[in-house]
Amino acid sequence: METIAIGLLLPFLGTLLGSAMVFFFKNQMHKRLEKLLLGFASGVMIAASIWSLIIPSLEMAETQSVIAWIPAAVGFLGGIFFLLLLDTLIPHLHLNTDQPEGLPSSLKNSTKMVLAITLHNIPEGMAVGVVFAGMLSQEGIVTLAGAFALSIGIMIQNFPEGAIVSLPLKTQGCSRLRAFAYGTLSGIVEPLGALLTMRLTAVLTPILPYLLSFAAGAMIYVVVEELIPEAQSGQHSNISTIGVGIGFVLMMILDVALG
């Protein structure tokens, strides 16, 4: 159980360390570096969705004598619409924009920015929880090394995300300590979501293929709706494209080598 606890907490550690960058940067992150890191996070999430979630979903469905593409397709679209619902309801403010999204709210812009990153982290927490549940299911599709590959990959991409949320908060007037606290709090949802998803899956093992692809759909929604548009806005969009390639290849290597 200690090993599983470490795996569930690794993504949160990435957010915490990234948020701590607010103590080392004097000003806001350079736009080119920001684009590179947003692209990197996108590449990691795309590769994780394929190798860590959709492919295991297909393989697990086959072992259950189910038409393999049905759980993958139904779960993937379910994840898309689940994040669409959250995106519509939760008031939040994306990076480099002044127009908030979600239901009208009197919340401060700094709070809305934290909610935007928290929204990103929900599918990542679900993804970690469901792969560890797949490992515990004893079906042999997801190995401990494979589960840790996803956890490590998300930890790596959470590092820049933590910095990207904490640094703008400082420039908006928050103290360094408060910006660090807000950035760290945005990552709390990951271990909590992972634990809840893992507990749910342990009770409902037959729906595991659906939950794997559900997490993949939710992650792809975040990439297409938020990360890539933010990374491609303005000049030097090719830098974010390079970041996508680096993140994709790194996550692919982690998953194939360890999984």
Side-chain angles (χ1 to χ4, degrees):
M1 291 303 294
E2 289 182 2
T3 302
I4 294 174
I6 292 172
L8 298 184
L9 288 171
L10 281 177
F12 174 67
L13 177 62
T15 303
L16 186 149
L17 293 176
S19 298
M21 291 300 101
V22 74
F23 296 112
F24 301 98
F25 280 76
K26 288 185 177 181
N27 299 308
Q28 191 167 348
M29 187 180 296
H30 194 282
K31 289 297 181 183
R32 294 190 183 186
L33 177 59
E34 183 181 285
K35 287 181 177 293
L36 179 68
L37 294 179
L38 284 168
F40 176 84
S42 301
V44 169
M45 292 177 74
I46 293 170
S49 297
I50 297 170
W51 272 275
S52 298
L53 298 169
I54 293 178
I55 292 177
S57 172
L58 293 167
E59 294 175 346
M60 198 169 291
E62 290 178 349
T63 65
Q64 296 177 355
S65 300
V66 176
I67 298 175
W69 58 265
I70 292 179
V74 171
F76 186 86
L77 291 176
I80 292 282
F81 285 110
F82 175 68
L83 257 291
L84 175 62
L85 177 64
L86 294 183
D87 200 22
T88 303
L89 295 178
I90 297 176
H92 58 284
L93 181 66
H94 293 301
L95 189 68
N96 301 325
T97 63
D98 297 319
Q99 186 64 38
E101 296 183 10
L103 293 176
S105 170
S106 59
L107 294 172
K108 295 180 179 179
N109 283 347
S110 58
T111 303
K112 291 178 181 178
M113 288 183 65
V114 173
L115 287 174
I117 299 298
T118 302
L119 193 61
H120 291 182
N121 290 335
I122 289 173
E124 295 166 12
M126 292 174 55
V128 172
V130 78
V131 294
F132 274 96
M135 183 271 296
L136 293 173
S137 70
Q138 305 296 324
E139 296 199 25
I141 302 299
V142 180
T143 64
L144 178 62
F148 263 92
L150 176 64
S151 187
I152 292 170
I154 291 180
M155 178 187 72
I156 293 171
Q157 70 99 13
N158 274 353
F159 181 86
E161 280 196 357
I164 286 169
V165 69
S166 63
L167 289 169
L169 289 174
K170 181 176 74 70
T171 62
Q172 288 191 2
C174 287
S175 66
R176 292 178 187 269
L177 185 59
R178 180 171 292 184
F180 167 71
Y182 282 163
T184 301
L185 285 173
S186 72
I188 288 288
V189 69
E190 292 200 14
L192 294 179
L195 184 60
L196 288 174
T197 305
M198 192 172 70
R199 294 297 185 189
L200 173 65
T201 309
V203 177
L204 303 172
T205 303
I207 69 169
L208 186 54
Y210 291 89
L211 288 177
L212 284 164
S213 56
F214 183 94
M219 290 177 70
I220 293 298
Y221 178 91
V222 170
V223 171
V224 176
E225 172 68 14
E226 299 174 8
L227 294 184
I228 288 181
E230 289 173 6
Q232 291 289 318
S233 63
Q235 298 179 332
H236 308 296
S237 60
N238 56 336
I239 295 176
S240 64
T241 304
I242 294 170
V244 171
I246 295 171
F248 186 94
V249 169
L250 176 62
M251 186 64 228
M252 178 184 65
I253 292 172
L254 275 174
D255 201 287
V256 173
L258 297 179

